[in-house]
Amino acid sequence: MLFGAIEAGGTKFVVAVGKENGEVVEKKTIPTTTPDETIREVEKFFANKQLTSVGVGTFGPVDLNSNRETYGFITTTPKVKWQNYNLLGELKEILHVPVAIDTDVNVAALGEKTLGAAKDVDSCLYLTVGTGIGGGAVMNGQTVKGLSHPEMGHVRVVKHPNDSFSGTCPFHGSCLEGMASGPAIKERWGESAEQLQDRNEVWEMEAYYIAQGLVSFMYTLSPEKMILGGGVMQQKQLFSLIHEEVYKLNANYYDLPILQKENIHSYIVPPELGSNAGIVGALLLAEQNV
Amino acid sequence: MLFGAIEAGGTKFVVAVGKENGEVVEKKTIPTTTPDETIREVEKFFANKQLTSVGVGTFGPVDLNSNRETYGFITTTPKVKWQNYNLLGELKEILHVPVAIDTDVNVAALGEKTLGAAKDVDSCLYLTVGTGIGGGAVMNGQTVKGLSHPEMGHVRVVKHPNDSFSGTCPFHGSCLEGMASGPAIKERWGESAEQLQDRNEVWEMEAYYIAQGLVSFMYTLSPEKMILGGGVMQQKQLFSLIHEEVYKLNANYYDLPILQKENIHSYIVPPELGSNAGIVGALLLAEQNV
């Protein structure tokens, strides 16, 4: 059986054909322009591919509640041409097979849970820290959604005592994304993450915020593994600072071996599938929804 | 088929026999004393009842990860006699049928999801605000757990600008439970919730904290309904204050009809099963685990 996978991003769509267990056979990158143009390229790629089903991991916000008429629509995105676009409907129209849709971070969590950093456990959270901050999770074998999809980047955080920055989020000001995304780092310190690599205070403050988010997610979902990806997390020094801070914030309340100082590096980890997490997760989503 | 249900609390155990769909046939309350004494009374109640399976909703912390040797043990509770007590193991030993275990709030969420305030949707969160603050949730038909069970009362909150209280939580100080539980209210204001009923500033501050927790849970789990129970929530004036505050904190980021000012009262609601949520949920848990 062959499955289709689509990773729909704001700058590019990655499309792939693969087999069971997330094995990619063929892959292509399509630039994200107008919906019409982009979807026409997607159609061309999948033409005559004899797929059983297709899985989609998309940028958002996207309506994932199948009880609503706008199920599968991209909703209030700042990408004007894609606002209120019926992504799921259009894909079904051109593909003629079952199409399952979820967020990019939820399918990445599914990929990492099944074949990556969380393959040995039953649940995980995947957080991407980059231009925005977004989170997905797999609990009880399925991605987490309901009212809508998670928007983990928008949880409120307590300000660092040395931080006078008011945050970049137009909705919440100083939520996690407002304080710790790539653009927040740049606006606070005047330079991009790469240029700030050697400034300890930058990364201590960054870890302070990310750790707050993680502890909040941990106490809410209790995932067995937390995976951190995205552009900002390429600053590898961040991991040990985050480990320290999560250990401190938990204060041994969850009194578990894996959260101890010497083990916590195996609880909060980088992705194993790297940039493939999304496309592999989308293949697995297709397979779940035959 | 008959099922058994146990709601294991710190002051009392409620035990019941019931049918499919949470219908209670017979119920009894047993005081929580020593494990030996209490479990002996449980054994007596269920003797010769011809049960198919038993569901347990228990106080915690309890180990819910079936990969660990301490699966089903009450762990670090302040109730000294119950520390490291193998609750699941002892119940299996006396009941001779499959026994499924979960937290009291997770089974309450399951009860409300199936037969109560969330019966028309597919997911819900249940938060109890009383002596402590605890939360459970049902997502994709199953209760949420993984590394351990959720400890939603311990998420960090931003302090109210007029609040100089440092919080009652011995682990985190000013986490949600530390700032908004019954004991926190009493310590901050010098009187109990009932005596403070007419003091607006008390309930505005209380709503400020509870709403922060709810918005954080909402952005993490995205449940279709949030249900608030427990002793403090008997102050019914709290609901409308919480609705206002959640509306304000969301700032229309989740741009959904149910979160608008005029509808949010149907998103954040009181329980419908009242004090039966736990025992009904435990029956349903038994039924899920035949």
Side-chain angles (χ1 to χ4, degrees):
Chain A
M1 282 203 281
L2 286 177
F3 302 99
I6 302 173
E7 200 185 354
T11 55
K12 61 176 200 266
F13 272 50
V14 182
V15 288
V17 171
K19 301 188 187 173
E20 280 102 339
N21 303 320
E23 193 194 328
V24 176
V25 173
E26 188 187 345
K27 200 164 96 168
K28 192 187 170 180
T29 297
I30 294 167
T32 306
T33 57
T34 65
D36 272 3
E37 231 174 59
T38 310
I39 298 299
R40 208 176 316 133
E41 290 301 311
V42 172
E43 187 177 9
K44 270 191 216 163
F45 175 78
F46 285 118
N48 308 314
K49 290 280 202 286
Q50 309 293 334
L51 304 174
T52 303
S53 60
V54 174
V56 185
T58 181
F59 68 101
V62 53
D63 188 343
L64 293 186
N65 190 315
S66 57
N67 299 322
R68 280 193 291 262
E69 280 179 21
T70 49
Y71 177 53
F73 281 55
I74 304 289
T75 59
T76 56
T77 173
K79 297 173 231 310
V80 180
K81 290 170 186 163
W82 291 83
Q83 276 171 9
N84 304 311
Y85 178 69
N86 184 1
L87 179 61
L88 179 63
E90 295 294 331
L91 289 172
K92 281 183 168 170
E93 182 113 0
I94 60 167
L95 295 168
H96 312 291
V97 292
V99 181
I101 192 165
D102 212 320
T103 61
D104 43 9
V105 278
N106 261 345
V107 300
L110 185 60
E112 290 289 341
K113 156 69 196 70
T114 315
L115 297 164
K119 64 175 174 292
D120 296 330
V121 291
D122 295 321
S123 55
C124 76
L125 178 139
Y126 180 95
L127 192 78
T128 176
V129 186
T131 312
I133 297 185
V138 174
M139 302 299 297
N140 298 318
Q142 286 183 271
T143 58
V144 168
K145 50 189 186 284
L147 177 70
S148 176
H149 49 77
E151 285 286 3
M152 299 188 197
H154 292 269
V155 298
R156 206 168 171 187
V157 287
V158 175
K159 269 201 179 183
H160 189 284
N162 300 334
D163 195 6
S164 59
F165 185 58
S166 58
T168 59
C169 177
F171 293 90
H172 308 112
S174 58
C175 61
L176 179 58
E177 178 171 297
M179 299 309 270
S181 64
I185 295 173
K186 187 157 185 194
E187 207 175 308
R188 179 191 291 109
W189 302 98
E191 290 177 286
S192 71
E194 297 76 32
Q195 294 165 307
L196 293 160
Q197 204 155 351
D198 301 327
R199 300 263 304 274
N200 284 343
E201 68 275 30
V202 172
W203 305 110
E204 275 164 19
M205 192 175 282
E206 183 69 8
Y208 177 86
Y209 289 119
I210 295 174
Q212 272 191 62
L214 293 180
V215 171
S216 174
F217 308 144
M218 179 175 83
Y219 285 156
T220 307
L221 279 167
S222 210
E224 283 161 281
K225 192 81 78 171
M226 300 209 282
I227 301 160
L228 300 180
V232 172
M233 293 310 303
Q234 299 314 307
Q235 303 294 321
K236 293 301 177 200
Q237 72 277 24
L238 258 176
F239 274 92
S240 61
L241 295 169
I242 290 169
H243 294 149
E244 258 176 60
E245 195 65 28
V246 168
Y247 174 78
K248 219 166 72 187
L249 288 174
N250 177 50
N252 235 3
Y253 181 70
Y254 265 156
D255 183 18
L256 297 167
I258 199 170
L259 297 179
Q260 299 309 307
K261 257 195 178 124
E262 62 277 21
N263 299 327
I264 196 164
H265 63 88
S266 60
Y267 182 58
I268 299 165
V269 299
E272 270 182 21
L273 303 179
S275 59
N276 273 325
I279 210 75
V280 168
L283 278 177
L284 295 165
L285 183 69
E287 199 182 334
Q288 273 191 355
N289 289 276
V290 171
Chain B
M1 283 203 280
L2 287 177
F3 302 98
I6 302 173
E7 200 185 352
T11 55
K12 62 176 199 268
F13 271 48
V14 182
V15 288
V17 171
K19 300 185 186 173
E20 279 102 341
N21 302 319
E23 193 193 328
V24 176
V25 173
E26 188 188 347
K27 198 165 97 168
K28 194 188 169 179
T29 297
I30 295 166
T32 306
T33 57
T34 64
D36 272 4
E37 231 173 58
T38 309
I39 296 299
R40 208 178 313 132
E41 290 301 310
V42 172
E43 185 176 10
K44 269 191 214 163
F45 174 78
F46 284 117
N48 308 313
K49 289 282 201 285
Q50 310 292 334
L51 305 175
T52 303
S53 60
V54 173
V56 185
T58 182
F59 68 100
V62 52
D63 189 342
L64 293 185
N65 189 316
S66 57
N67 299 322
R68 280 192 292 261
E69 280 180 21
T70 50
Y71 177 54
F73 281 55
I74 304 289
T75 58
T76 55
T77 174
K79 299 174 227 310
V80 180
K81 290 169 185 162
W82 291 83
Q83 275 170 11
N84 304 312
Y85 178 70
N86 184 1
L87 179 61
L88 179 64
E90 295 293 332
L91 289 172
K92 281 185 167 170
E93 182 114 0
I94 61 167
L95 295 169
H96 310 291
V97 292
V99 181
I101 192 164
D102 213 320
T103 61
D104 43 10
V105 278
N106 261 344
V107 301
L110 185 61
E112 291 289 340
K113 157 69 197 68
T114 315
L115 296 163
K119 63 176 175 292
D120 296 330
V121 291
D122 296 320
S123 56
C124 77
L125 178 139
Y126 181 94
L127 192 77
T128 177
V129 185
T131 312
I133 297 184
V138 175
M139 302 299 297
N140 298 318
Q142 287 184 272
T143 58
V144 169
K145 48 189 189 285
L147 177 70
S148 175
H149 49 78
E151 285 285 4
M152 299 187 198
H154 292 270
V155 297
R156 205 167 173 189
V157 287
V158 175
K159 268 200 179 185
H160 190 285
N162 300 333
D163 196 6
S164 59
F165 184 58
S166 58
T168 59
C169 177
F171 293 89
H172 308 113
S174 58
C175 61
L176 178 58
E177 178 171 299
M179 299 310 269
S181 64
I185 295 173
K186 190 161 183 192
E187 207 174 307
R188 179 191 292 109
W189 302 99
E191 290 176 287
S192 73
E194 296 77 33
Q195 294 166 308
L196 294 161
Q197 205 154 349
D198 301 326
R199 300 263 304 273
N200 286 343
E201 70 274 32
V202 172
W203 305 110
E204 274 163 21
M205 192 175 282
E206 182 69 8
Y208 177 87
Y209 289 120
I210 295 175
Q212 273 191 61
L214 293 180
V215 172
S216 172
F217 308 145
M218 180 175 83
Y219 286 155
T220 307
L221 279 166
S222 211
E224 283 162 282
K225 192 81 81 170
M226 301 209 281
I227 301 160
L228 300 181
V232 172
M233 292 310 302
Q234 299 314 305
Q235 303 294 321
K236 293 301 176 197
Q237 72 278 23
L238 256 177
F239 275 92
S240 61
L241 295 169
I242 291 170
H243 294 150
E244 260 175 61
E245 194 65 28
V246 168
Y247 174 77
K248 219 167 69 186
L249 288 174
N250 178 49
N252 236 3
Y253 181 70
Y254 264 157
D255 184 18
L256 297 167
I258 200 170
L259 298 179
Q260 298 309 307
K261 256 194 178 127
E262 62 278 19
N263 299 328
I264 196 166
H265 63 88
S266 60
Y267 182 58
I268 299 166
V269 299
E272 269 182 21
L273 302 178
S275 60
N276 272 326
I279 210 74
V280 167
L283 278 177
L284 295 165
L285 184 69
E287 200 182 333
Q288 273 190 355
N289 289 275
V290 169

